[in-house]
Structures are given as C-alpha cells and as structure tokens.
Amino acid sequence: DPGFSGPDGGVCVECPPGQYKDWTGPGQCMSCEPGSYKSSVGPGSCTACPLGMYSGPGGVNCSVCPPASSAPPGSMSVENCSCDPGFSGPDGGVCVECPP
C-alpha cells in the first residue's frame, strides 16, 4: 500500500519521516526531493518547504534561513537564502545591515 515498503506477501514496513511511497504494490520508500519534507511516518507525500526555509534530500523538516535573509518556497540549501533588502552578505551567510 502507499506509505509502506516491502515485497508482495511479505512484511510491510511504514515509510519513515523524510521518505514516501505513493503507489500500491512492492517497492521501497523514496527520499523526499531536496526542497521538500515529510515529518510523519507511513502514508503521505512530501511537501515543499515554505518561503524562508530550505531542506536537503530526505528532509524530515525544513530549516529556517539565517536572520535577515529569505529563500523562495522549495529551496534546497542554505545557499538559496539571500539577504533581505537593506542587508548585505553572502548567500546563506550572515547578513549585515547596510549603512544609511
């Protein structure tokens, strides 16, 4: 069944957080794609990380961008976090307020 892995007629195991299986029949659970997450066990699909957050492959949850920065929905790494207007710094790094 969806949300479970294992062979036909064998023992079924729930997909762990960060993994999904959305088809019926034998098969292994698949890791969530980068930029998405699944925090629950068993059935369910991966959800894109919201604005200001990111996740690598097999995400169990999304991480928040550093202060004064943001990333578009579905971002895959901290390098997708860019400083907000009025701040400067490297992508994914510390953002410092620009002088007046």
Side-chain angles (χ1 to χ4, degrees), residues 4-5 11 13 15 25-26 33-34 45 48 58 63 69 73 77-79 95:
F4 294 83
S5 67
V11 176
V13 178
C15 294
E33 295 290 323
S45 58
S63 299
S69 69
S77 75
V78 70
E79 285 81 23
C95 295

Side-chain angles (χ1 to χ4, degrees), residues 1-2 4 6 10 18 24-25 30 33 43 55 65 74 98:
D1 285 345
F4 294 83
T24 301
M30 309 287 288
E33 295 290 323
S55 176
C65 286
C98 296

Side-chain angles (χ1 to χ4, degrees), residues 5-73:
S5 67
D8 280 341
V11 176
C12 293
V13 178
E14 286 185 299
C15 294
Q19 296 186 8
Y20 71 99
K21 180 175 164 274
D22 56 5
W23 65 91
T24 301
Q28 297 300 311
C29 299
M30 309 287 288
S31 290
C32 291
E33 295 290 323
S36 66
Y37 72 101
K38 179 177 165 273
S39 57
S40 62
V41 173
S45 58
C46 301
T47 303
C49 290
L51 178 72
M53 302 182 88
Y54 64 93
S55 176
V60 174
N61 54 39
C62 298
S63 299
V64 177
C65 286
S69 69
S70 190

